[in-house]
Amino acid sequence: MWTSCATHGYITVTGHYITDEWDLKSCILATRRVEEADALVSIPMEFEIEYVCGLTTVNASNMTVAARATGFPHVRCFAHTLQLAVHDALKLNAIDNVIIHARKLVSYFSKSVLATQELEDVQKRLGRMVKHVVNDVTTRWNSVYFMFERLNELHASIVAVLHDDKFKKPKHLNLKDNQWLLEQLIVALKPLVSATEVLCSEELPTAAGVYPLVFALVTKHLIPSDLDTRIVADMKTTLADGLKSRLVTADF
């Protein structure tokens, strides 16, 4: 489900099936305006699909209502469920402050040709592979992780550029106060990134992997440890609670 530039809602229905040779295939069946309430039923009928073993949608309430009206077995997209839980955790004040600060740093280098060039030159002088900052995307939570990861990789080079007096820059760009938390957040979020990548595979069926992944996350990776700071521990607890609450009410 997506929204056009003209703010019209659209829904795209994709079919997944197995051939007689047991090859997993997928294809886009059709795209319809959301105002066509029966699209989830009418599209399979148009293609004369006789058997639908399951229907997967995002967690939006309108999609859930539409899916239930079809009579098809309904499964909410776990990748979307995971994203919602992570978004809740990233809204915690301390973590949100790190995200805001990281975005300011990325924005500074993205908008400054001179600063970007100096960042490249510093990496070359340090004998490192030249890399650039990564912007996060609001609709993809793992882009926040990749933004954190790249800033952490470029930390020494970024500090060198920010301490160069020939560049004009706001004082708030210093990462010093947040660097320690950035490193811990990367470690804590890594298992969630791996889970997202596994569940977004288009070459293999992923439904059977949902509960093993959830079990591993909730009983191992999201259990606060004695080494975790209060901020990281709170994030893990919020994530685990978010997954549990959403899975209890989901149509699995």
Side-chain angles (χ1 to χ4, degrees), residues 22 47 94 97 110 131 134-135 141 151 156 168 214 245:
W22 290 92
F47 288 86
N97 288 335
S110 298
K131 296 182 179 180
V134 175
N135 285 291
W141 82 263
L151 287 175
K168 292 183 179 180
V214 173
S245 63

Side-chain angles (χ1 to χ4, degrees), residues 34-232:
V34 172
E35 61 188 21
E36 299 182 31
D38 64 343
L40 292 179
V41 176
S42 63
I43 292 176
M45 291 178 63
E46 288 178 29
F47 288 86
E48 299 181 354
I49 298 175
E50 298 179 358
Y51 177 68
V52 177
C53 64
L55 177 65
T56 301
T57 70
V58 294
N59 288 256
S61 58
N62 59 337
M63 293 302 299
T64 300
V65 172
R68 287 175 176 168
T70 65
F72 301 142
H74 178 223
V75 179
R76 301 187 192 189
C77 175
F78 178 71
H80 187 237
T81 298
L82 181 60
Q83 176 168 306
L84 294 175
V86 175
H87 271 307
D88 287 345
L90 295 181
K91 289 177 183 178
L92 295 174
N93 288 334
I95 299 175
D96 188 48
N97 288 335
V98 177
I99 294 175
I100 291 172
H101 199 91
R103 284 173 177 162
K104 289 178 180 178
L105 260 178
V106 171
S107 177
Y108 171 71
F109 283 99
S110 298
K111 294 178 181 179
S112 174
V113 175
L114 292 177
T116 297
Q117 182 60 54
E118 182 63 18
L119 183 62
E120 294 177 356
D121 292 342
V122 170
Q123 293 178 77
K124 291 177 182 177
R125 291 197 294 270
L126 292 174
R128 299 178 179 176
M129 182 183 297
V130 174
K131 296 182 179 180
H132 301 94
V133 293
V134 175
N135 285 291
D136 70 313
V137 181
T138 305
T139 55
R140 296 183 179 274
W141 82 263
N142 52 355
S143 65
V144 173
Y145 170 85
F146 294 127
M147 176 176 67
F148 284 173
E149 186 179 50
R150 183 55 55 84
L151 287 175
N152 191 51
E153 291 176 6
L154 298 177
H155 180 243
S157 301
I158 289 175
V159 169
V161 174
L162 295 180
H163 282 77
D164 193 326
D165 294 333
K166 67 183 178 184
F167 295 105
K168 292 183 179 180
K169 51 206 169 288
K171 295 180 179 179
H172 64 250
L173 290 180
N174 194 338
L175 249 185
K176 181 179 179 181
D177 294 336
N178 293 315
Q179 182 61 27
W180 61 274
L181 181 55
L182 195 68
E183 295 172 351
Q184 292 188 29
L185 289 175
I186 291 171
V187 173
L189 291 172
K190 177 63 176 176
L192 299 163
V193 173
S194 298
T196 299
E197 292 174 348
V198 169
L199 292 169
C200 289
S201 172
E202 295 186 358
E203 298 179 355
L204 298 170
T206 57
V210 171
Y211 277 109
L213 282 171
V214 173
F215 182 81
L217 289 172
V218 173
T219 63
K220 181 179 179 182
H221 299 295
L222 297 180
I223 296 294
S225 72
D226 295 336
L227 299 177
D228 288 334
T229 61
R230 180 184 58 79
I231 295 172
V232 173

